[in-house]
Amino acid sequence: MTTSSGALYRTGTVNVTQGAASVVGVNTSWLSAIIAIAIGDIFTLDMKTWYEVVGVGSDTGISLDRGFEGASGTALNYAIIRSTSGTILTR
């Protein structure tokens, strides 16, 4: 997928570990995207379970508000929903 500047960010894939709050991105650009991922954005794998992004450490590392509740997995499709409260100037 390509980098998105819209409401959903889906570039690359992720690796998650059950119980861990850290997410590892593969071929993601979370900090260097046109509109970078920010604290307060929402992370999901299934559009049913939602996690708030509480830290963006790098283009390939984010932290969630709690440990991942699902099964561990690699190369998973995901979505990050950008917070509508932020603007391009405050992100």
Side-chain angles (χ1 to χ4, degrees):
M1 291 186 199
T2 59
T3 301
S4 169
S5 61
L8 291 180
Y9 184 96
R10 298 178 177 193
T11 300
T13 60
V14 294
N15 301 335
V16 294
T17 302
Q18 185 177 36
S22 60
V23 176
V24 175
V26 178
N27 296 318
T28 54
S29 298
W30 291 330
L31 280 178
S32 61
I34 294 169
I35 300 175
I37 301 308
I39 293 170
D41 289 350
I42 303 298
F43 173 88
T44 184
L45 291 183
D46 60 8
M47 295 296 195
K48 296 177 186 173
T49 306
W50 310 95
Y51 302 87
E52 182 178 358
V53 175
V54 295
V56 184
S58 67
D59 272 341
T60 59
I62 59 172
S63 298
L64 306 177
D65 64 325
R66 63 188 186 280
F68 185 72
E69 297 170 0
S72 299
T74 59
L76 302 172
N77 292 321
Y78 73 100
I80 294 178
I81 300 147
R82 293 186 171 102
S83 171
T84 58
S85 63
T87 68
I88 196 163
L89 297 176
T90 60
R91 294 176 79 75

